[in-house]
Amino acid sequence: MGEFDLIRRYFQRPAASGVEVGVGDDCAVLVPTPGARWLISSDMLVEGRHFLSTVDPARLGHKALAVNLSDLAACGATPRGFTLALALPRVDEAWLAGFARGLWALADASGIPLIGGDTTQGPLNICITVFGEAPPGQVLLRSGARLGDEIWVSGRLGDARLALEVFRGTVALDGAGFDIVRAAMEYPTPRLALGQALRGIATAAIDISDGLLGDLGHILAASGVGAQLDIDALPRSSVLASQPMALQQECLLAGGDDYELVFTAPPGVALPDVGVPLTRIGVIEAEPGLRVVDAQGLDVEHGLRSFDHFAS
Ligand code: ADP
Ligand code: MG
């Protein structure tokens, strides 16, 4: 199978609404919503770095798009289209069929058409760029947190990191527990509906890809504020809650790969109910830095930091 047959077979579909030209020409042509702002983000997934070579290809197709949609969600954007740049070591039709199935399932569920890309031979590498829209002045940014705002998080934290530790062999779980945390790692849910519902409500937002400490830290730095974070309030699965406290703290604070939204909002404001649990985990303070405390308000020593590809 040649390059163009491959694209036609797995990645080309009739043009969707709002897409004047999709896959098949030199550029895609999108019709912008009058007055809206474009929001654009790219995320690359490298074998051995972001996923294990043994991962189910359908889950990989899902996750490659999910991590990108999570960035649109964090900014409150409505998805409009995405491109897929793919390097493949060889044409493996079973792998491609699985990958495309997982990718299309999430694309369809999220209402985002595939509008183009690039396909080349090389070490397995997946780069997606997502295009979204939001009304001007309603884009959720990292920079809007204000003194006294409450800090909220969606869903549960830490399961993806716990699964990684099982793969690394440092933690053992029973089959049912492993299935739960493995799904969190391999099959994250981008919080698109929540992000859009938080337009005009949240003062700042970010998605957790590298760990709560670092990602919340980005909000604090961009907003020029500090925060107190209640570690006992952090939402966790019963699987994680049954692990030793030090491991729980590491997974919750520094785990990463959660793809939940952390956002700030003024106290008392009505938060949207989109069927995703929201948990209040802290408060914005004037003093810079992030202070982790327990339910009694006592300082918690953790010595943890978020993931950084180039940190030594
Ligand atoms: P060009 O050489 O003009 O860059 P290509 O030959 O690389 O175009 O691609 C042909 C068409 O197929 C283009 O419309 C491109 O956007 C699309 N395309 C290539 N690879 C993919 C892919 N993996 N997924 C979706 N569309 C793709
Ligand atoms: Mg090309």
Side-chain angles (χ1 to χ4, degrees), residues 3-4 7 26 117-119:
E3 174 187 338
F4 301 104
I7 295 166
D26 290 311
D118 198 22
T119 306

Side-chain angles (χ1 to χ4, degrees), residues 164-172 247:
L164 182 62
E165 294 302 332
V166 175
F167 279 112
R168 284 174 171 164
T170 66
V171 173
L247 178 61

